[in-house]
């Protein structure tokens, strides 16, 4: 028992220097936190949805999606009972669609295993589909005020600069050190916890907020930073060189041709099958182009298995997904005997039916270039 007490007090004194970071961070957050809709609640479900949406996505993009999601699916039970297509439709345009599928699966699991109540134990939260160590830590600290650490790209940047952490933060030794620092800071914040003051929640959100608004990847606003006097990177002029991230893998260009085939006020569309990227989403028939020698007519024949009676360029859509720079050349295609291609290449759907379906961003953009469709797109329904 004595040995344990000594160890704890030694650990306590080892943490003391870090205390000087905690108080200014807690105070700063009270005065400077942005008023975000999910910060007005302690509802774990609402916080979970916000954390998943915010992965790889900016706050200003997430707000309308989160608002709409919480209106349509306000509870875990509502999400668990929703049709898969309805869940994807609410996520349409946010990208990284496995996030939506995992939310759906996790809600069903919470109904089965936890009686519909969001679990409060870290290990149970971590066991849910689509939830990693960072997200479990964020939910448990923000929704339940537990001393659980968080470490994402923003927090890595703040801690690496504050403590002058050298080495690639994705490599094990540096990463372990940064997790340990994040854990120690939130443990120290826990000493300030009161029923009214959720210091663990506030500390973690302060780290997130500073990373997002002050300690930005380039040109950090150190003059506004509450811990600048203790910041190693600021003192040594290394704000631009920390964290020591590896060079980005150069992006790869990919080109696709997509075909907008219509007839009798219907469009030919297909659904992406299970097990591929963006499975469950709808799109115009398309093929990836590996060489430029074939004519659009030949490519259309390859994609539709029917010789086009006419083909005209419609638009070109460019976008980036992870490390791919994607260009989609869309064509308007006329075919004779359109019903012949219905079974092999997709389904003929009216605009009313199309409105109910989830589309990937590129194909939603193609759809919106067709006269009479643009105003019926996702933007108009928010
Ligand atoms: Fe980041 Fe500058 Fe603050 Fe250091 S002082 S944590 S570099 S914003």
């Amino acid at each position: 028992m004595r040995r344990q007490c000594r160890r704890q007090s030694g650990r306590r004194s080892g943490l003391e220097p870090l205390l000087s970071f905690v108080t200014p961070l807690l105070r700063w957050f009270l005065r400077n936190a942005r008023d975000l809709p999910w910060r007005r609640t302690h509802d774990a479900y609402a916080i979970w949805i916000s954390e998943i949406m915010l992965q790889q996505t900016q706050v200003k993009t997430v707000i309308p999606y989160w608002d709409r999601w919480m209106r349509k699916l306000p509870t875990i039970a509502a999400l668990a009972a929703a049709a898969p297509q309805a869940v994807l439709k609410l996520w349409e345009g946010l990208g990284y669609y496995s996030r939506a599928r995992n939310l759906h699966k996790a809600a069903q699991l919470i109904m089965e295993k936890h009686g519909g109540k969001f679990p409060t134990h870290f290990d149970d939260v971590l066991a849910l589909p689509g939830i990693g160590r960072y997200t479990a830590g964020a939910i448990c600290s923000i929704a339940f005020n537990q001393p659980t650490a968080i470490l994402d790209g923003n927090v890595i940047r703040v801690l690496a600069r504050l403590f002058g952490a050298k080495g690639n933060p994705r490599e094990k030794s540096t990463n372990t050190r940064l997790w340990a620092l994040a854990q120690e800071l939130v443990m120290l914040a826990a000493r300030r916890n009161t029923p009214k003051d959720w210091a663990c929640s506030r500390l973690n959100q302060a780290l997130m907020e500073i990373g997002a608004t002050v300690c930005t990847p380039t040109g950090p606003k150190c003059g506004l930073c509450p811990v600048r006097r203790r910041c190693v990177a600021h003192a040594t002029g290394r704000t631009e060189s920390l964290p020591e991230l590896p060079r980005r893998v150069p992006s790869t260009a990919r080109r696709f041709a997509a075909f907008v085939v219509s007839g009798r006020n219907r469009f030919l569309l297909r659904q992406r099958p299970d097990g591929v990227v963006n499975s469950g989403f709808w799109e115009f028939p398309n093929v990836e182009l590996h060489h430029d020698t074939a004519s659009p007519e030949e490519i259309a024949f390859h994609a539709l298995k029917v010789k086009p009676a006419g083909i005209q360029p419609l638009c070109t859509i460019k976008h980036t997904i992870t490390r791919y720079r994607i260009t989609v050349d869309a064509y308007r295609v006329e075919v004779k005997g359109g019903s012949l291609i219905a079974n092999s290449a997709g389904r003929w759907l009216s605009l009313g039916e199309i409105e109910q379906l989830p589309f990937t961003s590129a194909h939603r953009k193609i759809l919106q270039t067709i006269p009479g469709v643009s105003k019926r797109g996702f933007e108009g329904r928010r």
Side-chain angles (χ1 to χ4, degrees):
M1 171 68 93
R2 248 199 329 264
R3 217 172 29 225
Q4 191 181 5
C5 289
R6 257 206 313 275
R7 197 167 63 230
Q8 279 179 352
S9 73
R11 181 170 174 71
R12 209 174 167 80
S13 60
L15 292 181
E16 295 308 324
L18 290 181
L19 255 182
S20 60
F21 291 91
V22 171
T23 307
L25 286 168
L26 290 175
R27 277 200 200 121
W28 178 87
F29 186 72
L30 270 186
R31 292 184 200 131
N32 296 280
R34 287 168 295 175
D35 177 24
L36 303 176
W38 46 86
R39 285 189 175 152
R40 298 175 205 145
T41 177
H42 289 310
D43 174 12
Y45 170 66
I47 291 162
W48 171 39
I49 301 300
S50 73
E51 282 299 328
I52 300 295
M53 284 186 173
L54 286 164
Q55 291 168 4
Q56 320 280 343
T57 314
Q58 291 188 340
V59 163
K60 67 175 192 301
T61 306
V62 165
I63 289 173
Y65 277 91
W66 184 89
D67 279 338
R68 194 172 61 134
W69 182 288
M70 293 305 296
R71 269 200 317 277
K72 302 255 181 188
L73 303 173
T75 61
I76 293 169
L79 171 56
Q85 289 281 291
V87 174
L88 288 180
K89 186 73 183 162
L90 286 170
W91 206 270
E92 184 187 65
L94 266 183
Y96 302 97
Y97 296 103
S98 59
R99 295 182 292 172
R101 277 187 282 274
N102 280 331
L103 277 173
H104 199 202
K105 268 191 244 159
Q108 290 167 343
L109 218 118
I110 294 171
M111 295 305 292
E112 281 169 30
K113 277 193 157 183
H114 303 283
K117 204 166 172 296
F118 198 91
T120 54
H121 288 108
F122 179 85
D123 289 343
D124 292 335
V125 178
L126 188 62
L128 294 171
I131 295 192
R133 188 176 172 187
Y134 165 82
T135 306
I139 296 170
C140 288
S141 60
I142 297 171
F144 308 127
N145 194 34
Q146 294 171 6
T148 49
I150 54 159
L151 191 73
D152 67 347
N154 280 346
V155 179
I156 282 174
R157 190 167 56 251
V158 174
L159 295 184
R161 287 173 176 171
L162 269 182
F163 297 98
K166 284 188 169 180
N168 176 356
R170 307 278 174 209
E171 275 174 9
K172 197 168 176 202
S173 61
T174 311
N175 196 260
T176 304
R177 231 174 339 131
L178 292 171
W179 270 109
L181 278 168
Q183 186 62 62
E184 287 169 1
L185 287 170
V186 76
M187 294 289 285
L188 284 167
R191 293 191 198 170
R192 308 278 169 88
N193 274 342
T194 67
K196 278 195 179 161
D197 186 359
W198 283 30
C200 294
S201 167
R202 195 146 51 97
L203 188 278
N204 277 355
Q205 290 189 78
L207 289 174
M208 294 174 179
E209 191 77 348
I210 286 190
T213 62
V214 178
C215 194
T216 44
T218 53
K221 305 173 192 76
C222 299
L224 303 176
C225 182
V227 280
R228 66 183 169 281
R229 287 199 194 90
R230 297 165 187 84
C231 176
V232 173
H234 181 56
T236 57
R238 286 188 288 154
T239 56
E240 299 293 338
S241 59
L242 289 172
E244 294 178 356
L245 294 167
R247 281 200 178 173
R248 284 185 178 228
V249 180
S251 61
T252 308
R254 296 174 71 182
R255 198 165 195 107
F256 292 78
F259 302 100
V260 177
V261 189
S262 61
R264 296 185 189 168
N265 292 326
R266 286 176 178 262
F267 291 84
L268 184 67
L269 290 155
R270 69 184 189 190
Q271 189 175 24
R272 291 182 67 77
D274 286 344
V276 303
V277 175
N278 299 333
S279 68
F281 278 80
W282 289 78
E283 62 185 12
F284 295 101
N286 64 86
V287 283
E288 183 162 8
L289 307 176
H290 296 289
H291 48 76
D292 287 332
T293 51
S295 69
E297 286 81 2
E298 288 168 323
I299 299 164
F301 179 71
H302 172 65
L304 303 168
K305 310 288 183 265
V306 163
K307 199 169 183 311
I311 184 164
Q312 290 158 1
L314 181 66
C315 63
T316 296
I317 306 292
K318 289 179 189 277
H319 66 130
T320 303
I321 301 176
T322 58
R323 61 187 189 84
Y324 297 111
R325 278 176 289 115
I326 293 176
T327 303
V328 185
D329 294 314
Y331 298 89
R332 192 92 196 228
V333 176
E334 283 172 44
V335 289
K336 288 191 177 140
S339 59
L340 286 176
I341 59 176
N343 294 332
S344 60
R347 282 175 55 194
W348 291 97
L349 297 168
S350 67
L351 286 180
E353 290 169 318
I354 289 170
E355 277 302 293
Q356 309 305 315
L357 302 175
F359 277 74
T360 58
S361 298
H363 287 261
R364 168 63 64 189
K365 284 178 190 159
I366 295 170
L367 187 64
Q368 288 173 336
T369 63
I370 300 168
V373 174
S374 57
K375 289 189 189 67
R376 303 169 66 111
F378 173 71
E379 297 296 330
R381 292 197 311 280
R382 275 187 192 163

